[in-house]
Amino acid sequence: MAKCTTRVFLLSFTIAMVLLNGCMGQGRARENECQIDRLTALEPSNRIQAEGGLTEVWDCQDQQFRCSGVTVIRRTIERNGLLLPSFTSGPELIYIEQGNGISGLMIPGCPETFESLSTQEAWREGMERGMRGGRFQGQGQGQGQGRQGRFQDQHQKIRHLRQGDIFAMPAGVAHWAYNNGDEPLVAVILIDTSNHANQLDKDVPRRFYLAGNPEQEHEQQQGRHHQRREFQEQGQQQQHHQRRGGESRRGGRQSDSGNVFSGFDTRTLAQSFGVSEEIAQRLQAEQDERGNIVLVQEGLHVVKPPSRSYEEREERSRGSRSRYGSMNGLEETICSARLSENIDRPSEADVYSPEAGRLTTLNSFNLPILSFLRLSAEKGVLYRNAIMAPHYNLNAHSIIYGVRGRARIQIVNAQGNSVFDDELRQGQIVVVPQNFAVIKQATEEGFEWVSFKTCENALFQTLAGRTSAIRAMPVEVISNIYQISREQAHRLKFSRSETTLFRPENQGYQRREIAA
């Protein structure tokens, strides 16, 4: 029996050390970045209005974001709004706060597995269109389809978006999103600029668009130390054009907007695609003033599964082991890997109390792609006046975003000083640096939040409750370090039987879910 106990302990200790050290190798804050004596609840500092929606940007130069090495934006896509395809140099975690939609990724080297309209169907549709147009076009179109391929359209997999989903987006993978629901689609996006995948600027994220003429989201926040470098780059480009005997066919335009095609020579671009220069100019979108979210007037018609339940049935057919970690992730390829998980479902909670609330964690065990992104997430719900036990994160910074309701949050630094003691409301963010102690208590209306964490398997240690650091110490030690009697130490140690979420004392234990 003793040998068995020893083996279990060693196994548990080994797993804990692997999880703890998994994120220690990646450097984030530079020296003194996290010497924080005051934290504040942050709201967006910049808003960019587009034709089909709004982009809100938090100040990436704020000390809290510089300490954690991340930045956050929030997009609101209106009905029939299409977010232009783009990618960043750092990985992203995307939380769908509200609404429904679809999204497409352009993963390098992956096949086009979504197909529509066979040759016969395309020929028949062409016939019908030709007859309606007063001329016979069906034969040419049908034959053209037959020569070019079996299907009229082929593209990579389209994924459904719905409230509560978290999407993991690898660095450099372009993606677009479309709101096909009846309400605005709201997404909160964390960009990990300090990730090892990002070899560009570690302070300011860079987004590269494949279409349109959108304004750069973080351009105004780069600061003076970037302006000098931009002027130098512009001077070098001008000298380059002069050596070539003139400017490019686009006029050598320099601005803080545009897409990846904008700076190419139009003629060369046309030759690269095998199209006319007029179409190449459309790619460059110099006169496009719609912004990064455009409206699709008659709705977007693409090949996609009929509903979200299609994907869920597909996942279940592959077996439940793919979700709960009995797979090691090697069986998945990047083309077929699951990139999302819904963390709003109460039935999937990892911690649940009928009187206090629930807590759901998302890490590399239930979403293996996170092991490559080195990020994780947590969704929490506190009922009215309930408390999440005081705790600290062992191996990650925690970026807390208020989803609904309000809570009083207290954060304490290494010197024992309170650096934050305020309410966090819906739409606000506060960063809890690694090892800073934090406690949350919901107000009368309850509180919901999502936390992005800078480690694929983030761990936290509670300071009160059944699995806390206090509970792990002998009563005699507690009595001496706090200068209290043994009876008081015993009460301090055993008064709370819960693990993480505490019901409110003397409140009648009235449960209250926040209305979605």
Side-chain angles (χ1 to χ4, degrees):
M1 183 65 181
K3 289 183 178 180
C4 182
T5 303
T6 303
R7 288 174 181 171
V8 171
F9 169 77
L10 289 175
L11 177 61
S12 302
F13 179 78
T14 302
I15 293 174
M17 289 300 100
V18 169
L19 297 180
L20 180 60
N21 294 324
C23 296
M24 292 304 183
Q26 57 177 351
R28 289 192 170 272
R30 292 189 294 268
E31 185 178 358
N32 297 324
E33 288 285 5
C34 292
Q35 298 298 322
I36 295 175
D37 56 10
R38 184 172 180 270
L39 297 170
T40 57
L42 302 175
E43 296 187 356
S45 59
N46 187 25
R47 291 171 170 81
I48 302 174
Q49 185 67 52
E51 179 188 57
L54 176 69
T55 299
E56 299 169 282
V57 185
W58 274 262
D59 183 6
C60 62
Q61 297 295 335
D62 187 276
Q63 187 181 16
Q64 296 182 55
F65 291 128
R66 291 174 67 90
C67 170
S68 55
V70 303
T71 190
V72 180
I73 63 176
R74 181 172 58 208
R75 298 197 197 279
T76 301
I77 305 175
E78 300 296 337
R79 183 180 179 183
N80 292 331
L82 174 63
L83 175 66
L84 299 181
S86 68
F87 59 91
T88 63
S89 54
E92 302 174 78
L93 276 188
I94 303 171
Y95 174 71
I96 305 301
E97 182 179 358
Q98 174 187 305
N100 296 276
I102 57 174
S103 178
L105 281 68
M106 292 77 87
I107 304 177
C110 292
E112 300 165 342
T113 56
F114 279 38
E115 305 163 330
S116 69
L117 289 182
S118 65
T119 303
Q120 184 177 2
E121 291 170 331
W123 183 83
R124 184 167 58 249
E125 184 179 7
M127 286 274 292
E128 293 173 355
R129 278 207 302 264
M131 292 177 181
R132 287 196 299 269
R135 58 186 184 276
F136 184 76
Q137 296 177 339
Q139 184 175 358
Q141 181 170 347
Q143 291 176 348
Q145 291 289 338
R147 289 193 302 269
Q148 295 175 9
R150 177 177 172 80
F151 302 94
Q152 188 184 41
D153 191 17
Q154 296 176 322
H155 52 75
Q156 289 191 18
K157 180 178 180 177
I158 288 179
R159 294 165 169 85
H160 289 269
L161 308 173
R162 68 173 176 181
Q163 181 176 316
D165 282 348
I166 280 198
F167 269 81
M169 201 66 60
V173 173
H175 58 280
W176 54 266
Y178 174 71
N179 182 358
N180 60 359
D182 296 325
E183 61 178 338
L185 176 64
V186 181
V188 181
I189 304 159
L190 176 132
I191 307 172
D192 186 4
T193 55
S194 291
N195 193 279
H196 63 281
N198 178 23
Q199 300 184 38
L200 296 177
D201 197 325
K202 299 296 184 181
D203 293 331
V204 182
R206 302 191 191 184
R207 183 170 296 277
F208 300 81
Y209 281 92
L210 301 187
N213 191 27
E215 179 182 343
Q216 283 296 317
E217 296 157 357
H218 298 276
E219 189 72 23
Q220 298 177 3
Q221 301 174 357
Q222 290 192 15
R224 295 181 179 179
H225 68 285
H226 287 177
Q227 293 178 3
R228 179 178 299 177
R229 184 176 61 189
E230 290 175 356
F231 289 140
Q232 292 174 348
E233 291 176 352
Q234 290 179 11
Q236 292 172 358
Q237 291 176 0
Q238 290 175 359
Q239 292 176 6
H240 175 70
H241 289 311
Q242 291 173 359
R243 285 195 300 267
R244 290 183 57 195
E247 296 181 338
S248 72
R249 293 176 62 85
R250 292 203 70 237
R253 180 178 66 92
Q254 299 291 329
S255 71
D256 60 355
S257 61
N259 64 60
V260 297
F261 299 117
S262 299
F264 287 127
D265 175 75
T266 306
R267 177 176 298 173
T268 305
L269 189 62
Q271 293 173 347
S272 298
F273 279 95
V275 296
S276 67
E277 291 191 27
E278 180 182 357
I279 295 178
Q281 290 174 352
R282 290 285 186 174
L283 291 178
Q284 295 173 323
E286 186 175 359
Q287 304 301 322
D288 193 340
E289 302 296 335
R290 296 176 298 171
N292 63 337
I293 306 173
V294 303
L295 286 177
V296 182
Q297 299 299 332
E298 298 181 0
L300 194 68
H301 304 287
V302 296
V303 186
K304 63 181 184 299
S307 67
R308 177 72 182 215
S309 60
Y310 177 92
E311 288 186 344
E312 292 175 343
R313 288 195 300 270
E314 187 180 40
E315 289 178 10
R316 285 196 296 269
S317 68
R318 293 199 295 262
S320 60
R321 67 182 187 281
S322 64
R323 187 179 187 281
Y324 288 105
S326 58
M327 291 179 63
N328 61 12
L330 296 178
E331 290 86 350
E332 297 186 7
T333 67
I334 188 63
C335 298
S336 61
R338 272 190 316 114
L339 300 180
S340 68
E341 183 66 33
N342 192 285
I343 61 173
D344 273 11
R345 290 191 291 260
S347 60
E348 304 296 338
D350 298 300
V351 178
Y352 174 70
S353 167
E355 296 86 13
R358 66 179 188 269
L359 195 67
T360 306
T361 56
L362 184 65
N363 53 39
S364 67
F365 289 102
N366 47 22
L367 192 60
I369 189 68
L370 293 177
S371 63
F372 297 99
L373 274 62
R374 308 187 77 172
L375 296 169
S376 59
E378 166 191 277
K379 175 64 188 291
V381 176
L382 287 175
Y383 303 146
R384 56 183 300 180
N385 300 319
I387 298 174
M388 182 174 178
H391 64 278
Y392 63 92
N393 291 281
L394 279 70
N395 56 351
H397 303 301
S398 181
I399 297 87
I400 303 174
Y401 173 81
V403 176
R404 292 182 183 85
R406 295 177 297 129
R408 180 189 178 189
I409 296 181
Q410 302 174 62
I411 304 173
V412 177
N413 66 9
Q415 290 75 37
N417 298 322
S418 174
V419 294
F420 185 85
D421 186 358
D422 204 349
E423 279 192 351
L424 190 73
R425 303 189 305 273
Q426 177 179 351
Q428 292 183 327
I429 286 177
V430 67
V431 175
V432 183
Q434 177 189 7
N435 293 334
F436 280 44
V438 58
I439 186 172
K440 306 182 186 77
Q441 182 169 22
T443 62
E444 286 287 331
E445 60 188 278
F447 183 58
E448 289 189 24
W449 76 93
V450 61
S451 293
F452 303 102
K453 301 196 176 185
T454 57
C455 178
E456 67 270 24
N457 292 303
L459 299 175
F460 66 84
Q461 170 70 67
T462 55
L463 300 174
R466 183 156 48 88
T467 59
S468 67
I470 298 295
R471 191 72 171 259
M473 291 188 288
V475 169
E476 193 73 21
V477 173
I478 297 174
S479 174
N480 280 275
I481 63 176
Y482 294 117
Q483 296 183 303
I484 57 179
S485 69
R486 294 197 51 183
E487 291 74 16
Q488 291 172 324
H490 187 275
R491 187 160 56 250
L492 177 67
K493 179 175 179 176
F494 294 105
S495 60
R496 279 290 189 181
S497 60
E498 306 99 323
T499 57
T500 307
L501 305 179
F502 298 166
R503 61 185 182 274
E505 295 290 351
N506 302 321
Q507 298 290 336
Y509 308 149
Q510 181 178 357
R511 169 181 168 171
R512 179 177 177 181
E513 278 270 17
I514 304 173

